[in-house]
mmCIF file of all heavy atoms in Angstrom:
data_model
loop_
_atom_site.group_PDB
_atom_site.id
_atom_site.type_symbol
_atom_site.label_atom_id
_atom_site.label_comp_id
_atom_site.label_asym_id
_atom_site.label_seq_id
_atom_site.Cartn_x
_atom_site.Cartn_y
_atom_site.Cartn_z
ATOM 1 N N SER A 216 7.795 -8.609 10.943
ATOM 2 C CA SER A 216 6.663 -8.828 10.046
ATOM 3 C C SER A 216 5.434 -9.199 10.848
ATOM 4 O O SER A 216 5.530 -9.872 11.881
ATOM 5 C CB SER A 216 6.957 -9.953 9.045
ATOM 6 O OG SER A 216 7.852 -9.542 8.044
ATOM 7 N N VAL A 217 4.282 -8.752 10.358
ATOM 8 C CA VAL A 217 2.992 -9.135 10.922
ATOM 9 C C VAL A 217 2.159 -9.700 9.779
ATOM 10 O O VAL A 217 1.950 -9.030 8.767
ATOM 11 C CB VAL A 217 2.269 -7.931 11.567
ATOM 12 C CG1 VAL A 217 0.858 -8.315 11.977
ATOM 13 C CG2 VAL A 217 3.049 -7.422 12.775
ATOM 14 N N ASP A 218 1.712 -10.935 9.932
ATOM 15 C CA ASP A 218 0.869 -11.553 8.915
ATOM 16 C C ASP A 218 -0.578 -11.130 9.096
ATOM 17 O O ASP A 218 -1.059 -11.000 10.222
ATOM 18 C CB ASP A 218 0.954 -13.080 8.995
ATOM 19 C CG ASP A 218 2.246 -13.612 8.413
ATOM 20 O OD1 ASP A 218 2.708 -13.069 7.397
ATOM 21 O OD2 ASP A 218 2.797 -14.578 8.988
ATOM 22 N N THR A 219 -1.275 -10.937 7.983
ATOM 23 C CA THR A 219 -2.703 -10.665 8.019
ATOM 24 C C THR A 219 -3.389 -11.717 7.135
ATOM 25 O O THR A 219 -2.719 -12.410 6.374
ATOM 26 C CB THR A 219 -3.051 -9.253 7.501
ATOM 27 O OG1 THR A 219 -3.182 -9.285 6.061
ATOM 28 C CG2 THR A 219 -2.003 -8.223 7.902
ATOM 29 N N PRO A 220 -4.700 -11.852 7.213
ATOM 30 C CA PRO A 220 -5.378 -12.815 6.347
ATOM 31 C C PRO A 220 -5.236 -12.500 4.857
ATOM 32 O O PRO A 220 -5.565 -13.335 4.018
ATOM 33 C CB PRO A 220 -6.843 -12.709 6.794
ATOM 34 C CG PRO A 220 -6.776 -12.228 8.192
ATOM 35 C CD PRO A 220 -5.623 -11.277 8.207
ATOM 36 N N ARG A 221 -4.760 -11.324 4.535
ATOM 37 C CA ARG A 221 -4.572 -10.946 3.135
ATOM 38 C C ARG A 221 -3.315 -10.095 3.018
ATOM 39 O O ARG A 221 -3.364 -8.877 3.014
ATOM 40 C CB ARG A 221 -5.790 -10.183 2.608
ATOM 41 C CG ARG A 221 -5.787 -9.946 1.096
ATOM 42 C CD ARG A 221 -6.899 -8.999 0.684
ATOM 43 N NE ARG A 221 -8.210 -9.582 0.889
ATOM 44 C CZ ARG A 221 -9.235 -8.921 1.432
ATOM 45 N NH1 ARG A 221 -9.095 -7.659 1.840
ATOM 46 N NH2 ARG A 221 -10.397 -9.516 1.571
ATOM 47 N N GLY A 222 -2.164 -10.749 2.951
ATOM 48 C CA GLY A 222 -0.901 -10.036 2.795
ATOM 49 C C GLY A 222 -0.170 -9.831 4.104
ATOM 50 O O GLY A 222 -0.765 -9.749 5.173
ATOM 51 N N ARG A 223 1.134 -9.726 4.005
ATOM 52 C CA ARG A 223 2.010 -9.536 5.160
ATOM 53 C C ARG A 223 2.494 -8.089 5.190
ATOM 54 O O ARG A 223 2.748 -7.499 4.137
ATOM 55 C CB ARG A 223 3.181 -10.508 5.068
ATOM 56 C CG ARG A 223 4.361 -10.189 5.953
ATOM 57 C CD ARG A 223 5.481 -11.208 5.809
ATOM 58 N NE ARG A 223 5.206 -12.386 6.614
ATOM 59 C CZ ARG A 223 6.166 -13.173 7.101
ATOM 60 N NH1 ARG A 223 7.437 -12.932 6.850
ATOM 61 N NH2 ARG A 223 5.848 -14.217 7.836
ATOM 62 N N ILE A 224 2.620 -7.529 6.395
ATOM 63 C CA ILE A 224 3.182 -6.190 6.574
ATOM 64 C C ILE A 224 4.568 -6.359 7.178
ATOM 65 O O ILE A 224 4.711 -6.900 8.277
ATOM 66 C CB ILE A 224 2.304 -5.324 7.491
ATOM 67 C CG1 ILE A 224 0.889 -5.194 6.921
ATOM 68 C CG2 ILE A 224 2.936 -3.930 7.671
ATOM 69 C CD1 ILE A 224 -0.090 -4.520 7.870
ATOM 70 N N THR A 225 5.589 -5.907 6.462
ATOM 71 C CA THR A 225 6.967 -6.042 6.904
ATOM 72 C C THR A 225 7.609 -4.672 7.037
ATOM 73 O O THR A 225 7.424 -3.808 6.180
ATOM 74 C CB THR A 225 7.779 -6.895 5.907
ATOM 75 O OG1 THR A 225 7.243 -8.230 5.888
ATOM 76 C CG2 THR A 225 9.245 -6.963 6.294
ATOM 77 N N VAL A 226 8.359 -4.476 8.122
ATOM 78 C CA VAL A 226 9.113 -3.240 8.332
ATOM 79 C C VAL A 226 10.586 -3.621 8.422
ATOM 80 O O VAL A 226 10.979 -4.438 9.260
ATOM 81 C CB VAL A 226 8.688 -2.513 9.625
ATOM 82 C CG1 VAL A 226 9.396 -1.160 9.718
ATOM 83 C CG2 VAL A 226 7.175 -2.324 9.673
ATOM 84 N N LEU A 227 11.404 -3.048 7.539
ATOM 85 C CA LEU A 227 12.828 -3.372 7.472
ATOM 86 C C LEU A 227 13.683 -2.135 7.710
ATOM 87 O O LEU A 227 13.283 -1.010 7.386
ATOM 88 C CB LEU A 227 13.174 -3.940 6.086
ATOM 89 C CG LEU A 227 12.490 -5.251 5.674
ATOM 90 C CD1 LEU A 227 12.828 -5.575 4.219
ATOM 91 C CD2 LEU A 227 12.892 -6.386 6.589
ATOM 92 N N ASN A 228 14.883 -2.361 8.247
ATOM 93 C CA ASN A 228 15.847 -1.268 8.335
ATOM 94 C C ASN A 228 16.618 -1.194 7.019
ATOM 95 O O ASN A 228 16.346 -1.951 6.080
ATOM 96 C CB ASN A 228 16.769 -1.450 9.539
ATOM 97 C CG ASN A 228 17.563 -2.752 9.499
ATOM 98 O OD1 ASN A 228 17.753 -3.362 8.440
ATOM 99 N ND2 ASN A 228 18.040 -3.196 10.655
ATOM 100 N N ASP A 229 17.586 -0.289 6.938
ATOM 101 C CA ASP A 229 18.307 -0.087 5.680
ATOM 102 C C ASP A 229 18.998 -1.360 5.199
ATOM 103 O O ASP A 229 18.985 -1.676 4.002
ATOM 104 C CB ASP A 229 19.335 1.034 5.835
ATOM 105 C CG ASP A 229 18.708 2.415 5.913
ATOM 106 O OD1 ASP A 229 17.508 2.532 5.581
ATOM 107 O OD2 ASP A 229 19.404 3.374 6.299
ATOM 108 N N ALA A 230 19.603 -2.092 6.129
ATOM 109 C CA ALA A 230 20.303 -3.318 5.749
ATOM 110 C C ALA A 230 19.327 -4.348 5.193
ATOM 111 O O ALA A 230 19.637 -5.064 4.234
ATOM 112 C CB ALA A 230 21.060 -3.886 6.948
ATOM 113 N N GLY A 231 18.142 -4.429 5.788
ATOM 114 C CA GLY A 231 17.127 -5.366 5.311
ATOM 115 C C GLY A 231 16.617 -5.003 3.931
ATOM 116 O O GLY A 231 16.428 -5.868 3.069
ATOM 117 N N LEU A 232 16.373 -3.714 3.704
ATOM 118 C CA LEU A 232 15.915 -3.263 2.387
ATOM 119 C C LEU A 232 16.929 -3.604 1.306
ATOM 120 O O LEU A 232 16.577 -4.078 0.221
ATOM 121 C CB LEU A 232 15.678 -1.751 2.400
ATOM 122 C CG LEU A 232 14.359 -1.217 2.957
ATOM 123 C CD1 LEU A 232 14.386 0.298 2.933
ATOM 124 C CD2 LEU A 232 13.173 -1.746 2.159
ATOM 125 N N ASP A 233 18.193 -3.380 1.612
ATOM 126 C CA ASP A 233 19.246 -3.655 0.641
ATOM 127 C C ASP A 233 19.402 -5.152 0.439
ATOM 128 O O ASP A 233 19.507 -5.640 -0.699
ATOM 129 C CB ASP A 233 20.559 -3.042 1.128
ATOM 130 C CG ASP A 233 21.666 -3.120 0.086
ATOM 131 O OD1 ASP A 233 21.346 -3.215 -1.115
ATOM 132 O OD2 ASP A 233 22.846 -3.089 0.467
ATOM 133 N N GLY A 234 19.383 -5.913 1.522
ATOM 134 C CA GLY A 234 19.615 -7.342 1.436
ATOM 135 C C GLY A 234 18.499 -8.098 0.742
ATOM 136 O O GLY A 234 18.748 -8.982 -0.081
ATOM 137 N N PHE A 235 17.253 -7.764 1.065
ATOM 138 C CA PHE A 235 16.115 -8.487 0.502
ATOM 139 C C PHE A 235 15.669 -7.958 -0.861
ATOM 140 O O PHE A 235 15.213 -8.724 -1.710
ATOM 141 C CB PHE A 235 14.925 -8.434 1.469
ATOM 142 C CG PHE A 235 15.109 -9.271 2.704
ATOM 143 C CD1 PHE A 235 15.184 -8.678 3.948
ATOM 144 C CD2 PHE A 235 15.211 -10.656 2.634
ATOM 145 C CE1 PHE A 235 15.352 -9.440 5.099
ATOM 146 C CE2 PHE A 235 15.377 -11.430 3.767
ATOM 147 C CZ PHE A 235 15.458 -10.820 5.010
ATOM 148 N N TYR A 236 15.784 -6.637 -1.055
ATOM 149 C CA TYR A 236 15.197 -6.041 -2.258
ATOM 150 C C TYR A 236 16.175 -5.213 -3.088
ATOM 151 O O TYR A 236 15.792 -4.692 -4.136
ATOM 152 C CB TYR A 236 13.997 -5.169 -1.866
ATOM 153 C CG TYR A 236 12.874 -5.984 -1.286
ATOM 154 C CD1 TYR A 236 12.689 -6.052 0.094
ATOM 155 C CD2 TYR A 236 12.014 -6.717 -2.098
ATOM 156 C CE1 TYR A 236 11.677 -6.833 0.650
ATOM 157 C CE2 TYR A 236 11.000 -7.490 -1.563
ATOM 158 C CZ TYR A 236 10.843 -7.546 -0.187
ATOM 159 O OH TYR A 236 9.847 -8.325 0.351
ATOM 160 N N GLY A 237 17.396 -5.072 -2.621
ATOM 161 C CA GLY A 237 18.358 -4.274 -3.364
ATOM 162 C C GLY A 237 18.019 -2.800 -3.395
ATOM 163 O O GLY A 237 18.455 -2.059 -4.275
ATOM 164 N N ILE A 238 17.227 -2.346 -2.416
ATOM 165 C CA ILE A 238 16.849 -0.935 -2.330
ATOM 166 C C ILE A 238 17.886 -0.217 -1.479
ATOM 167 O O ILE A 238 18.018 -0.501 -0.278
ATOM 168 C CB ILE A 238 15.446 -0.771 -1.728
ATOM 169 C CG1 ILE A 238 14.403 -1.500 -2.581
ATOM 170 C CG2 ILE A 238 15.091 0.711 -1.589
ATOM 171 C CD1 ILE A 238 12.994 -1.463 -2.011
ATOM 172 N N ALA A 239 18.622 0.679 -2.079
ATOM 173 C CA ALA A 239 19.689 1.380 -1.375
ATOM 174 C C ALA A 239 19.107 2.416 -0.424
ATOM 175 O O ALA A 239 18.087 3.045 -0.724
ATOM 176 C CB ALA A 239 20.625 2.056 -2.371
ATOM 177 N N PRO A 240 19.734 2.612 0.732
ATOM 178 C CA PRO A 240 19.257 3.641 1.673
ATOM 179 C C PRO A 240 19.409 5.034 1.096
ATOM 180 O O PRO A 240 20.297 5.292 0.275
ATOM 181 C CB PRO A 240 20.157 3.446 2.899
ATOM 182 C CG PRO A 240 21.386 2.793 2.359
ATOM 183 C CD PRO A 240 20.923 1.917 1.236
ATOM 184 N N VAL A 241 18.528 5.916 1.522
ATOM 185 C CA VAL A 241 18.595 7.312 1.091
ATOM 186 C C VAL A 241 19.351 8.103 2.152
ATOM 187 O O VAL A 241 18.913 8.160 3.306
ATOM 188 C CB VAL A 241 17.182 7.901 0.901
ATOM 189 C CG1 VAL A 241 17.273 9.356 0.467
ATOM 190 C CG2 VAL A 241 16.409 7.096 -0.124
ATOM 191 N N PRO A 242 20.502 8.677 1.809
ATOM 192 C CA PRO A 242 21.287 9.412 2.801
ATOM 193 C C PRO A 242 20.475 10.525 3.457
ATOM 194 O O PRO A 242 19.738 11.250 2.780
ATOM 195 C CB PRO A 242 22.452 9.995 1.984
ATOM 196 C CG PRO A 242 22.547 9.099 0.780
ATOM 197 C CD PRO A 242 21.144 8.690 0.480
ATOM 198 N N GLY A 243 20.602 10.636 4.768
ATOM 199 C CA GLY A 243 19.942 11.719 5.488
ATOM 200 C C GLY A 243 18.454 11.535 5.687
ATOM 201 O O GLY A 243 17.775 12.461 6.122
ATOM 202 N N THR A 244 17.919 10.347 5.393
ATOM 203 C CA THR A 244 16.486 10.121 5.561
ATOM 204 C C THR A 244 16.102 10.224 7.030
ATOM 205 O O THR A 244 16.775 9.679 7.895
ATOM 206 C CB THR A 244 16.088 8.733 5.023
ATOM 207 O OG1 THR A 244 16.395 8.675 3.642
ATOM 208 C CG2 THR A 244 14.598 8.480 5.206
ATOM 209 N N ASP A 245 14.999 10.936 7.322
ATOM 210 C CA ASP A 245 14.580 11.106 8.699
ATOM 211 C C ASP A 245 13.856 9.861 9.203
ATOM 212 O O ASP A 245 13.608 8.913 8.467
ATOM 213 C CB ASP A 245 13.703 12.355 8.848
ATOM 214 C CG ASP A 245 12.506 12.337 7.907
ATOM 215 O OD1 ASP A 245 12.389 11.404 7.092
ATOM 216 O OD2 ASP A 245 11.688 13.257 7.988
#
Side-chain angles (χ1 to χ4, degrees):
S216 286
V217 172
D218 284 322
T219 85
R221 189 189 293 136
R223 164 180 278 207
I224 301 172
T225 296
V226 186
L227 298 174
N228 59 21
D229 287 346
L232 278 177
D233 188 24
F235 289 115
Y236 295 100
I238 301 176
V241 179
T244 299
D245 55 356

